[in-house]
Amino acid sequence: MGKLVRLEVYNFKSYKGHHVLQIGDSYFTSVIGPNGSGKSNSMDAISFVLGIKSSHLRSAHLRDLVYRGRVLRTSTINGDGSATNAGVNGHANGDEVSEDESTQRGTQERPDPKSAWVTAVYEDDAGDEQFWKRTITNQGVSEYRINDRVVTAQQYNEVLEAENILIRARNFLVFQGDVEAIASQSPKDLTRLIEQISGSLEYKAEYERLKEAQDEALENQTYSLHRRRGINSELKQYEEQKREAETYSKKADERDQAIVTHILWKLHQFQRVIEESEAEIERHQEELKEHRRSIEKYEHNLDEAKKDQTKIGKEVAKAEKYIKSKGKEVEAKENGLIPIAEKIDISRKSVARCEKRVAEISKERDGHIANIKQSTKELKVVEKAQAQWDKERKQLVEREGRELSDADIQQYNRLKIEVNKRTAADQTKVDNLSHQQKADEETVNSLKSKVDSADWQSQKLETELGDINERKAAVNSQIKEASRDITSKKKVYNEQTSERLRLAQIRTEKDEQLQEVLTKLLEAEDGKKQNEKDIRLRTTVADMKSHFPGVRGRVSELCKPIEKRYGTAVSTVLGRNFDAVIVENEKTAIECIEYLRDQRRGQATFIPLDTIQWTASNSNLKGTRGTRMAIDTISYDSSLERAVAYVCGNAVICDDLNIAKHVCWEKRNDVKAVTLDGSIIHKGGNMTGGQGGKQDTRRWEDAEVENLRKLKDKLIAELSSLPKPRRGATEEETLQGELTGLEQKFLYAKEEMKAHERNQTSKKKELAHIQEQLGAAQPKYQEKLRELEGSKGHLEELQAAVSEVQDEVFADFCQRLGYENIRLYEAQQGSLQQETARKNLEFSTQKSRLQSRIKYEEQQLQETQNRIKRLEDQTKQDQALINELEAEQASTQDELDTLAAELDQLAEQLEEQKARHTQKAEKVNEQRREVQKRSKTVESSLKAISGLESERQISASGRYGLLKKCKLEDIDLPLTEKSKALDQLPIDEVLHTDPDAMDLDEDEDSNSNQRSNIQDYGIEIDFDDLDDDLKEVGDDARTEEELKDRVKALNGELDHMAPNMRAMERVQTAKGRLATTDKDYEDARKRAAKAKDSFGKVKERRFELFNKAFSHISEQIGPIYKDLTKDPNLPMGGQAYLDMEDSDEPYLDGIKYHAMPPLKRFRDMEHLSGGEKTMAALALLFAVHSYQPSPFFVLDEVDAALDNANVAKIANYIRDHAAPGMQFIVISLKTGLFQNSEALVGIYRDQAANTSKALTLDLLALLSYIFVLSSAFVIKFEIQGLELEAFLPISPNADGVLPRTAKDLVWVPLDAYRSFERILRHRNNLSRENKYFMS
């Protein structure tokens, strides 16, 4: 393989102008330089010239790769793109212009380069140099050149691939961050990487396309197989249905023959009865003519008598009707009196109750008045006694004459002063105690009075509470009695109401049933009208048939349901096409339309067989349980298939609505589903249901109409027999009036009870208050009484001490006046005062007690009077209501008397009219008896004729009904040669007979001779095929039952069979489809085999390429990882291997990469450290590169995350493997890596020129001479015009042999690298403190 010799760049990214990166003959070249100098741009230049996309070159667009540097305002752009500064030291005014500013100022101030290019000089194995050049303009246009010859991108890529440089794989370029990305990539990403390297990715699109084609071919083959199986199954089903249809046809023929036999037998019976009846009627009519001539006179008299009787009867009925209306009026008046009387009774009871209550309360009032009078009288007596006592006291004092002289009084006062002086302290105490004792006595007396008054009031209130309880008990008994009466009345009222409601409900139900019957009868009339319209349309179609040969007939005439149960569904499916006319071609349809317009015969729809468009039925619906295609349920001529298919469309007939929903909604079939009862689910999803009254399939029979009429008469009779609602309502009104009175009475009693309870509550509160006062006053009274007794003893002791002093001082005074001691004198004088005070206290106490009693009684009297007033007001209201009700009652009673008198008069008139009516009736009976005497024979003859005529009419009607049934159901009867065809029988003909033909009141001669004509419509039945034993007269009922049972049994067998009558046609169609499907299946099978072969080849080729690459990489990954991770201490290194998840088609799944560093257990890649991941990723990259290796391998700062030990391992690996065929170009900042390289390319930033520049150090190329000292080599060389010397110490190698060649020396040129470092620092104008290399 060749090698990359040098790289030339022009205006590429940070390289302004033309620059050369010299690599030379080195197989291990390091690109070094400070951060920001443009080292990685050299990596981008290599990638760019090899055709890598701009997205991998750290640029969004190719035009961004063109140099756009910062230019000084005074700089001049040279032809090569360089700039020359006009100012001193590169600055004219010391100002700079930024790139953005210069861009804004336009190209006049700073014309940027228009293009950039990179040239890679490659030396092949023959030693020839190839020049690969790629140019890019600032518009993003690329140009490729090889040896200065313009080529296309494809040709350019082919030349590179010839040198084993695979652009799509990019296995020779490792950009910044690629190592981390590879270390963290997923198994899928690793699979894609190997696909790119192996070239199997080129087959991916074809692989997927052929796989899809194979799957589609297999699917088509499977579909064809399933379709063939389905058609086989369908064919078997149709063959089975064909056998069923043949059996069904045989049974149907047998059934039809049994029906014909039954009909022939019945027609024979009808014919026999008609002939026998006509003979008997003829005989009786001859006899009748003779008898009628003799009774005409009596019949005329009978008619006159009947007229008179009818006239009088009408007058009687009119009178009875008038009397009945008056009776209702009287009944209404009487019913109105009941609630009035009840209200009067209730009001009177209320008045009586109020008067009774007033009397009771008046007694209480009189008692209160008597108490007040008695208390007032007692008060006057006390006042009088007090006056009398004062008068007597004054007289006693005057009579005893104990008044002292003035001298005695002066001496007494003087001695008293002396006593007071000597007993001042004790006297003070005595006075105080005396005053206190008097106050205590007054308090005790007051408390005693209060206790006595409260005790008396308590006793009185207890007595009143007892009376209230008695009155409450009486009112409570009244409430209970009223409640019982209300309950019983309500029960009766509810029973009557329930009965009335029940009768009303029955009446409503009967009315609804009657209305339904009347509606059906109206529908029957509508059906008859519809039949008349059908007759007109049939006539019109018959006329068109006679005029135009191409008219086939109406759809309803040409198509019939194969079974009776499908009739409603088929009519619904046909819908508006039920009466459509089928014609041969469009021309005939146009002629018929013109005929209808000219003849004014209405409108019609025409279906031309030659132009009608119809859609084939959906075969997927066949075989579904409970469903049939509508066209399969219709019997029609095969020539009409287009028309029938058109009117049926894609409709299906389902047994019930659930099956229809399943077909339309769950299976999502685009069909119209019709159930047997006529419900429809349309294609759009809307539903139609219910039965209308005007359907084409509706036919009304005379028997059904007659039954409806009988039901109507029955319902009318039942409605008439129900009780009249008025009488029940009157009884309910009476009960309601009684209930109203009882409820009012109950409410009055409740109100009275509430009043008693309120009074009782008030009394209880008053009693409780008084008892509370009594309870509070009693202890106070006892306590004051005890205090009074204690003060009396103390007072006596003090008075004894004072008495001794008084006896000593007043001894002479008392002796002279004749008193034993001064106290007797004072007692005599003081007793009068004390007696006076005591009496006054007693009198005041009595007066106070009496006044309190009078006040209490007056309050009670006022309350009692208020209650009496309320009761009197209530009595007045009730009395006014009674007067009003009595007036209304009297008025109503007067009206009742007037109506009763009028009724009596009308009753008398009615009796007279009834008597006259009876006389007229007797006269009529007499005339009738006369007629009957003479017409018994006539009546018997008429009755016999009537019976025979009825039998004749019934037999004729039965005969016509059977013939009509035969025509409608296409039953083929044997006819004689002279007979008309059964098709000429009118369908809707009604046999009319005169209902008054046998009325004796009419012209009996003419009616008896005019017998109703029985039409046979020219149809004569041939009874030769009927067995002789059936023609004989015998047990007709038994014979008919046997014939019916035979038909019924055959119909039952046919109903259970339900065959497909079109199975024969379906079998032929299915066989044709089966042949087509077999051919389709064979074609699909061949296409599937071909697709499988094509896919297998591509799959095999893709697997081969992928597996070859995977096997090689898998074999190399282990040794490479081991070499990268081993060291003298760990000579075994680590382990790494690849594991594919899918061994059959590995490119469809992921490939897992496992790495185990030395002395560590197995862990997933994401759990390794940053350095371990990097080593594992580099091992993978080297292994991948070893498969179809390119001539060179470019690494951009892959050692960024590694420590010195791992960097040394990487350097050793690269050094060991750098050789012809494997050229390494490494961009690095680690000394441990680049110091082992063979050549250095230094990148630095020229700030003045605003560009990146390069220096190259190739020790072999620059070596001038080498001389050896005892322990070192001295090397002289020249770099960029500078002569340098390097002192190289000599170290023995592993074998103890000293290096002998320059090749051996350049592996340790540390001083030379340091000299190169000084040059870079000088060129970069950097200070010595900023070190970029490790020493």
Side-chain angles (χ1 to χ4, degrees):
M1 290 185 181
K3 61 182 178 180
L4 191 62
V5 177
R6 66 179 179 274
L7 192 69
E8 299 181 11
V9 296
Y10 177 75
N11 291 334
F12 182 81
K13 297 192 84 170
S14 63
Y15 295 93
K16 181 176 67 176
H18 182 264
H19 297 272
V20 178
L21 280 69
Q22 188 73 37
I23 298 174
D25 296 332
S26 172
Y27 290 100
F28 180 10
T29 303
S30 294
V31 180
I32 60 176
N35 286 330
S37 60
K39 300 187 302 298
S40 294
N41 288 341
S42 62
M43 174 76 168
D44 292 341
I46 296 173
S47 302
F48 171 74
V49 76
L50 295 178
I52 302 299
K53 294 181 180 179
S54 61
S55 58
H56 298 290
L57 305 179
R58 302 178 299 167
S59 298
H61 305 284
L62 283 175
R63 62 176 178 269
D64 296 336
L65 302 177
V66 180
Y67 173 80
R68 289 187 298 174
R70 183 166 53 90
V71 181
L72 300 178
R73 293 180 180 176
T74 57
S75 299
T76 301
I77 304 299
N78 301 323
D80 60 354
S82 61
T84 304
N85 295 333
V88 179
N89 296 328
H91 300 279
N93 298 317
D95 296 334
E96 294 183 358
V97 182
S98 65
E99 181 181 349
D100 294 336
E101 292 174 349
S102 62
T103 302
Q104 294 175 359
R105 296 184 183 183
T107 57
Q108 292 180 356
E109 186 171 336
R110 197 209 72 185
D112 286 336
K114 302 298 183 181
S115 64
W117 52 262
V118 177
T119 299
V121 181
Y122 178 77
E123 183 180 314
D124 57 18
D125 294 337
D128 298 330
E129 289 187 348
Q130 296 184 22
F131 294 87
W132 301 334
K133 183 178 181 180
R134 183 181 180 187
T135 305
I136 181 68
T137 66
N138 57 4
Q139 301 300 320
V141 179
S142 291
E143 181 186 76
Y144 297 92
R145 290 175 178 268
I146 297 178
N147 297 326
D148 206 20
R149 180 173 58 88
V150 178
V151 295
T152 63
Q154 180 66 27
Q155 293 172 343
Y156 192 81
N157 192 31
E158 290 175 356
V159 171
L160 295 179
E161 289 182 354
E163 298 296 331
N164 215 23
I165 300 174
L166 305 179
I167 302 301
R168 285 190 295 272
R170 289 197 305 113
N171 60 331
F172 56 90
L173 296 174
V174 181
F175 292 92
Q176 286 186 15
D178 282 358
V179 175
E180 291 79 359
I182 290 172
S184 59
Q185 66 182 350
S186 65
K188 285 281 189 180
D189 295 335
L190 182 55
T191 301
R192 183 173 179 80
L193 175 62
I194 296 177
E195 274 210 283
Q196 291 175 343
I197 299 300
S198 64
S200 64
L201 189 61
E202 297 177 2
Y203 294 90
K204 180 179 180 181
E206 188 176 3
Y207 171 89
E208 292 176 351
R209 180 182 62 80
L210 292 176
K211 181 174 176 57
E212 184 178 354
Q214 175 187 321
D215 294 341
E216 183 179 358
L218 289 175
E219 184 178 354
N220 292 335
Q221 179 186 358
T222 304
Y223 171 76
S224 299
L225 178 61
H226 290 170
R227 189 161 174 262
R228 186 176 68 171
R229 290 175 179 174
I231 294 175
N232 274 325
S233 176
E234 187 177 350
L235 181 60
K236 291 179 181 179
Q237 183 180 1
Y238 283 145
E239 289 175 348
E240 181 65 26
Q241 290 177 358
K242 176 185 175 184
R243 290 191 291 273
E244 292 178 359
E246 292 172 352
T247 305
Y248 181 85
S249 298
K250 293 178 181 179
K251 284 288 182 183
D253 294 340
E254 188 177 350
R255 187 268 317 270
D256 293 342
Q257 185 60 40
I259 292 173
V260 169
T261 301
H262 180 222
I263 292 173
L264 284 175
W265 177 82
K266 292 189 71 172
L267 288 173
H268 184 269
Q269 296 297 320
F270 289 143
Q271 187 68 30
R272 180 177 58 80
V273 171
I274 290 172
E275 293 173 355
E276 291 176 356
S277 297
E278 287 178 349
E280 288 294 321
I281 289 172
E282 189 69 27
R283 184 177 62 79
H284 283 293
Q285 285 180 347
E286 293 297 329
E287 295 176 356
L288 191 61
K289 289 178 182 179
E290 299 295 331
H291 295 293
R292 279 185 173 174
R293 296 188 184 95
S294 62
I295 61 174
E296 290 180 356
K297 177 182 178 181
Y298 296 100
E299 288 178 348
H300 177 72
N301 295 335
L302 179 61
D303 291 339
E304 293 295 328
K306 282 183 178 180
K307 290 179 180 177
D308 294 339
Q309 183 188 11
T310 302
K311 182 177 180 181
I312 298 299
K314 289 181 179 179
E315 293 178 357
V316 171
K318 183 177 181 182
E320 287 179 345
K321 184 177 181 182
Y322 185 70
I323 290 172
K324 189 175 181 181
S325 65
K326 288 295 182 181
K328 290 183 179 180
E329 187 175 353
V330 170
E331 185 180 0
K333 295 289 184 182
E334 290 176 349
N335 291 335
L337 285 175
I338 293 174
I340 294 174
E342 186 67 25
K343 290 179 181 178
I344 290 173
D345 183 54
I346 292 170
S347 299
R348 284 176 178 172
K349 289 181 180 178
S350 176
V351 169
R353 187 167 58 254
C354 290
E355 290 176 350
K356 180 180 178 182
R357 202 64 196 103
V358 167
E360 293 175 356
I361 297 174
S362 297
K363 290 181 181 180
E364 292 183 12
R365 181 193 62 187
D366 295 341
H368 290 307
I369 293 173
N371 290 335
I372 291 172
K373 289 180 178 180
Q374 181 66 29
S375 299
T376 305
K377 183 178 180 181
E378 290 178 358
L379 180 62
K380 291 179 179 180
V381 171
V382 171
E383 291 177 348
K384 186 177 180 181
Q386 184 179 11
Q388 182 65 29
W389 185 84
D390 288 340
K391 182 178 179 182
E392 289 177 355
R393 183 182 62 78
K394 290 180 180 179
Q395 290 176 359
L396 178 61
V397 171
E398 292 176 357
R399 186 173 57 251
E400 290 182 353
R402 295 216 177 162
E403 298 292 333
L404 295 178
S405 62
D406 294 335
D408 292 337
I409 293 172
Q410 291 177 358
Q411 184 181 2
Y412 173 78
N413 291 332
R414 188 175 62 257
L415 293 173
K416 190 70 174 175
I417 291 170
E418 184 180 356
V419 170
N420 289 335
K421 289 180 180 179
R422 293 177 63 182
T423 61
D426 293 338
Q427 192 63 41
T428 301
K429 294 180 180 179
V430 169
D431 291 340
N432 292 335
L433 286 174
S434 297
H435 289 305
Q436 180 67 33
Q437 189 173 4
K438 289 180 180 179
D440 291 341
E441 287 176 352
E442 291 178 358
T443 302
V444 168
N445 292 332
S446 176
L447 289 172
K448 188 174 185 305
S449 175
K450 187 181 291 186
V451 168
D452 293 341
S453 176
D455 187 40
W456 178 80
Q457 289 181 4
S458 176
Q459 292 176 0
K460 183 175 179 59
L461 288 173
E462 288 176 353
T463 303
E464 291 177 354
L465 284 173
D467 295 338
I468 291 172
N469 288 330
E470 292 177 359
R471 289 196 291 271
K472 279 181 64 179
V475 173
N476 192 26
S477 62
Q478 293 178 3
I479 290 173
K480 291 180 178 179
E481 183 179 358
S483 178
R484 286 194 298 271
D485 294 342
I486 289 172
T487 302
S488 61
K489 292 289 184 184
K490 278 187 176 181
K491 183 177 180 182
V492 176
Y493 176 75
N494 291 334
E495 290 176 354
Q496 292 190 358
T497 303
S498 300
E499 181 65 19
R500 179 176 60 80
L501 293 176
R502 187 183 67 81
L503 292 175
Q505 184 177 1
I506 293 174
R507 185 180 297 277
T508 302
E509 292 175 355
K510 296 296 182 183
D511 286 338
E512 291 177 354
Q513 294 177 5
L514 181 60
Q515 188 64 33
E516 184 179 358
V517 171
L518 293 174
T519 302
K520 290 181 178 180
L521 286 172
L522 289 175
E523 291 176 354
E525 297 299 326
D526 291 340
K528 291 180 179 179
K529 294 177 182 178
Q530 185 68 22
N531 290 336
E532 294 173 0
K533 179 181 177 182
D534 188 67
I535 291 172
R536 291 195 298 271
L537 181 59
R538 188 183 298 108
T539 304
T540 301
V541 173
D543 293 338
M544 287 191 294
K545 283 184 179 181
S546 62
H547 287 82
F548 309 106
V551 178
R552 303 293 296 274
R554 291 189 302 163
V555 172
S556 58
E557 296 172 349
L558 299 173
C559 303
K560 300 294 180 183
I562 60 174
E563 290 183 34
K564 196 172 184 179
R565 63 192 181 110
Y566 295 124
T568 301
V570 170
S571 299
T572 305
V573 170
L574 297 180
R576 58 189 175 85
N577 294 314
F578 190 83
D579 290 322
V581 181
I582 300 176
V583 296
E584 291 290 347
N585 48 48
E586 186 177 2
K587 179 181 178 182
T588 304
I590 295 173
E591 291 174 350
C592 291
I593 292 172
E594 292 177 353
Y595 171 81
L596 292 177
R597 184 170 58 248
D598 295 336
Q599 299 295 324
R600 298 183 182 275
R601 301 288 291 271
Q603 295 180 344
T605 302
F606 296 88
I607 302 176
L609 292 173
D610 62 335
T611 60
I612 194 68
Q613 300 295 325
W614 58 280
T615 305
S617 60
N618 188 355
S619 60
N620 293 332
L621 296 172
K622 297 178 180 179
T624 304
R625 185 177 182 82
T627 62
R628 286 175 178 269
M629 298 302 296
I631 193 172
D632 293 337
T633 62
I634 299 175
S635 175
Y636 57 89
D637 189 81
S638 59
S639 61
L640 304 175
E641 183 173 6
R642 292 175 60 86
V644 177
Y646 166 73
V647 297
C648 292
N650 218 14
V652 295
I653 295 178
C654 306
D655 290 349
D656 53 37
L657 191 59
N658 292 328
I659 296 175
K661 292 178 180 178
H662 174 74
V663 170
C664 292
W665 294 345
E666 295 182 13
K667 288 194 172 183
R668 301 185 179 276
N669 291 313
D670 188 17
V671 296
K672 179 172 76 172
V674 182
T675 62
L676 293 179
D677 59 0
S679 299
I680 310 172
I681 299 180
H682 298 273
K683 292 182 180 180
N686 54 315
M687 297 177 63
T688 303
Q691 290 290 334
K694 297 181 179 181
Q695 297 184 3
D696 296 316
T697 57
R698 196 70 178 266
R699 296 292 182 265
W700 294 92
E701 299 292 343
D702 293 339
E704 294 178 2
V705 177
E706 186 63 27
N707 291 334
L708 288 173
R709 287 174 180 164
K710 289 180 181 179
L711 181 59
K712 181 193 73 173
D713 297 338
K714 180 183 177 183
L715 291 173
I716 292 174
E718 290 177 352
L719 283 172
S720 301
S721 65
L722 291 175
K724 301 298 180 183
R726 181 62 192 169
R727 186 177 66 185
T730 304
E731 294 177 358
E732 288 181 20
E733 290 175 358
T734 303
L735 285 172
Q736 192 171 8
E738 293 177 357
L739 271 174
T740 303
L742 288 173
E743 288 174 350
Q744 192 171 3
K745 179 179 178 182
F746 181 77
L747 290 175
Y748 287 153
K750 280 280 189 181
E751 290 296 328
E752 186 176 358
M753 176 63 76
K754 290 179 180 178
H756 285 318
E757 290 176 351
R758 287 195 297 270
N759 192 15
Q760 184 182 31
T761 303
S762 176
K763 295 293 183 183
K764 285 183 178 180
K765 288 181 179 179
E766 187 177 357
L767 177 61
H769 179 66
I770 291 173
Q771 288 178 349
E772 183 180 357
Q773 289 180 346
L774 180 62
Q778 191 75 28
K780 291 181 180 179
Y781 169 71
Q782 296 296 334
E783 183 180 359
K784 289 295 183 182
L785 187 60
R786 287 193 298 271
E787 290 178 358
L788 180 61
E789 294 296 333
S791 62
K792 283 182 179 180
H794 190 201
L795 180 61
E796 289 175 356
E797 292 177 358
L798 294 174
Q799 286 177 348
V802 173
S803 296
E804 290 179 359
V805 176
Q806 287 178 345
D807 291 342
E808 182 181 353
V809 173
F810 284 101
D812 295 336
F813 180 80
C814 291
Q815 187 177 4
R816 183 173 58 83
L817 292 178
Y819 289 99
E820 184 178 353
N821 52 47
I822 192 61
R823 289 185 296 280
L824 290 176
Y825 169 74
E826 290 176 351
Q828 186 178 1
Q829 296 295 325
S831 62
L832 291 175
Q833 296 177 356
Q834 291 177 357
E835 182 67 19
T836 301
R838 185 178 63 79
K839 284 292 186 180
N840 287 334
L841 179 61
E842 290 178 358
F843 286 131
S844 63
T845 302
Q846 291 179 2
K847 287 195 293 183
S848 175
R849 181 171 56 82
L850 290 172
Q851 287 172 354
S852 299
R853 183 183 300 174
I854 290 170
K855 184 178 180 180
Y856 171 75
E857 291 294 339
E858 286 176 349
Q859 292 176 353
Q860 295 296 318
L861 177 62
Q862 184 63 38
E863 183 181 350
T864 304
Q865 288 176 346
N866 292 336
R867 290 164 59 194
I868 291 173
K869 186 175 182 306
R870 289 196 296 271
L871 290 172
E872 289 174 350
D873 293 340
Q874 181 65 35
T875 303
K876 289 178 182 179
Q877 294 177 1
D878 292 341
Q879 192 62 44
L881 179 62
I882 289 171
N883 295 334
E884 183 181 350
L885 293 173
E886 286 178 346
E888 184 180 356
Q889 187 180 32
S891 175
T892 306
Q893 189 63 45
D894 293 340
E895 294 177 359
L896 278 174
D897 294 340
T898 302
L899 290 173
E902 187 176 353
L903 280 174
D904 293 339
Q905 185 178 359
L906 291 172
E908 293 176 359
Q909 295 176 0
L910 179 62
E911 290 297 327
E912 294 176 0
Q913 290 177 348
K914 284 184 177 180
R916 291 169 57 198
H917 184 266
T918 302
Q919 292 175 0
K920 295 294 182 181
E922 184 63 30
K923 185 176 179 180
V924 169
N925 291 333
E926 182 179 356
Q927 293 295 330
R928 182 176 285 114
R929 285 193 294 271
E930 291 293 333
V931 172
Q932 287 176 353
K933 288 178 182 179
R934 292 165 177 79
S935 61
K936 284 184 179 179
T937 306
V938 173
E939 288 179 1
S940 62
S941 298
L942 289 174
K943 187 179 293 185
I945 291 172
S946 177
L948 292 170
E949 184 64 27
S950 296
E951 290 182 3
R952 181 170 169 270
Q953 290 290 336
I954 291 171
S955 298
S957 178
R959 181 179 183 275
Y960 171 75
L962 284 175
L963 295 175
K964 175 183 174 182
K965 178 181 178 183
C966 292
K967 178 180 179 180
L968 292 176
E969 297 181 6
D970 289 335
I971 298 175
D972 189 13
L973 293 178
L975 303 177
T976 61
E977 294 180 356
K978 298 179 180 180
S979 174
K980 293 183 179 180
L982 196 61
D983 292 339
Q984 298 181 9
L985 178 72
I987 296 298
D988 298 307
E989 186 71 22
V990 180
L991 296 176
H992 297 287
T993 58
D994 189 358
D996 298 326
M998 302 304 292
D999 193 346
L1000 295 178
D1001 293 336
E1002 301 295 333
D1003 187 0
E1004 295 177 358
D1005 274 339
S1006 59
N1007 288 334
S1008 62
N1009 292 327
Q1010 293 180 0
R1011 191 169 66 248
S1012 59
N1013 186 21
I1014 300 300
Q1015 295 186 10
D1016 57 5
Y1017 305 103
I1019 298 174
E1020 297 181 5
I1021 307 299
D1022 186 3
F1023 295 106
D1024 294 341
D1025 294 338
L1026 189 65
D1027 295 340
D1028 293 338
D1029 56 349
L1030 293 177
K1031 293 179 182 179
E1032 295 177 358
V1033 178
D1035 190 353
D1036 295 341
R1038 180 179 178 183
T1039 302
E1040 183 172 9
E1041 187 67 25
E1042 291 176 353
L1043 294 174
K1044 284 183 177 180
D1045 289 343
R1046 175 61 178 164
V1047 174
K1048 184 177 180 181
L1050 292 171
N1051 279 328
E1053 294 179 8
L1054 291 173
D1055 289 340
H1056 285 88
M1057 293 176 70
N1060 183 2
M1061 303 306 294
R1062 301 178 63 84
M1064 178 64 75
E1065 300 176 12
R1066 298 293 186 267
V1067 167
Q1068 298 300 326
T1069 303
K1071 287 181 178 179
R1073 288 165 53 212
L1074 180 61
T1076 304
T1077 305
D1078 287 339
K1079 184 177 180 303
D1080 293 343
Y1081 171 72
E1082 189 62 28
D1083 294 341
R1085 187 184 63 79
K1086 292 178 180 179
R1087 286 194 297 271
K1090 183 178 179 181
K1092 183 177 181 182
D1093 294 339
S1094 300
F1095 173 71
K1097 293 178 181 178
V1098 174
K1099 176 182 176 183
E1100 182 179 1
R1101 178 58 179 163
R1102 187 181 183 187
F1103 177 78
E1104 180 181 353
L1105 291 173
F1106 185 89
N1107 195 49
K1108 180 180 179 182
F1110 175 79
S1111 300
H1112 176 83
I1113 296 170
S1114 181
E1115 291 174 359
Q1116 295 295 323
I1117 189 69
I1120 292 175
Y1121 185 72
K1122 181 177 180 181
D1123 292 342
L1124 287 175
T1125 55
K1126 70 180 180 178
D1127 56 24
N1129 296 326
L1130 299 170
M1132 298 300 295
Q1135 296 180 12
Y1137 62 94
L1138 298 177
D1139 183 19
M1140 63 174 61
E1141 296 178 354
D1142 185 357
S1143 59
D1144 294 331
E1145 292 186 271
Y1147 38 78
L1148 298 180
D1149 216 325
I1151 293 178
K1152 293 183 178 180
Y1153 176 34
H1154 303 284
M1156 290 181 289
L1159 299 180
K1160 291 189 177 181
R1161 60 182 177 84
F1162 170 77
R1163 285 184 294 179
D1164 291 334
M1165 186 65 71
E1166 59 267 18
H1167 295 151
L1168 298 178
S1169 65
E1172 291 171 344
K1173 287 182 180 179
T1174 302
M1175 297 298 285
L1178 288 173
L1180 180 60
L1181 287 173
F1182 293 147
V1184 168
H1185 183 265
S1186 66
Y1187 180 77
Q1188 295 184 353
S1190 61
F1192 47 83
F1193 199 8
V1194 186
L1195 305 172
D1196 186 4
E1197 295 189 18
V1198 296
D1199 55 354
L1202 298 178
D1203 56 11
N1204 292 334
N1206 285 325
V1207 170
K1209 293 177 181 179
I1210 295 296
N1212 292 332
Y1213 179 85
I1214 294 175
R1215 184 188 62 191
D1216 293 340
H1217 291 80
M1222 179 60 74
Q1223 181 184 21
F1224 287 92
I1225 301 174
V1226 181
I1227 300 173
S1228 176
L1229 291 176
K1230 299 292 183 72
T1231 306
L1233 180 62
F1234 67 73
Q1235 72 182 1
N1236 291 309
S1237 61
E1238 298 177 357
L1240 293 178
V1241 177
I1243 306 297
Y1244 66 96
R1245 183 77 174 176
D1246 188 344
Q1247 299 294 345
N1250 191 23
T1251 181
S1252 298
K1253 291 186 177 182
L1255 294 175
T1256 301
L1257 173 62
D1258 188 344
L1259 296 183
L1260 296 180
L1262 300 178
L1263 188 62
S1264 298
Y1265 61 91
I1266 300 176
F1267 59 94
V1268 182
L1269 299 178
S1270 60
S1271 61
F1273 286 94
V1274 177
I1275 304 173
K1276 287 187 177 181
F1277 51 89
E1278 182 181 353
I1279 300 177
Q1280 301 289 328
L1282 296 177
E1283 291 185 357
L1284 299 175
E1285 288 186 358
F1287 176 78
L1288 306 179
I1290 298 175
S1291 301
N1293 56 22
D1295 299 330
V1297 180
L1298 293 176
R1300 296 298 181 187
T1301 64
K1303 176 65 177 174
D1304 296 328
L1305 294 175
V1306 297
W1307 292 114
V1308 286
L1310 182 57
D1311 290 342
Y1313 284 105
R1314 287 175 178 170
S1315 301
F1316 189 65
E1317 176 187 356
R1318 288 195 298 271
I1319 296 171
L1320 292 178
R1321 288 175 180 168
H1322 174 71
R1323 297 289 186 180
N1324 214 32
N1325 296 321
L1326 299 174
S1327 63
R1328 194 165 184 81
E1329 287 75 19
N1330 295 329
K1331 296 183 179 180
Y1332 288 83
F1333 308 104
M1334 294 178 63
S1335 300

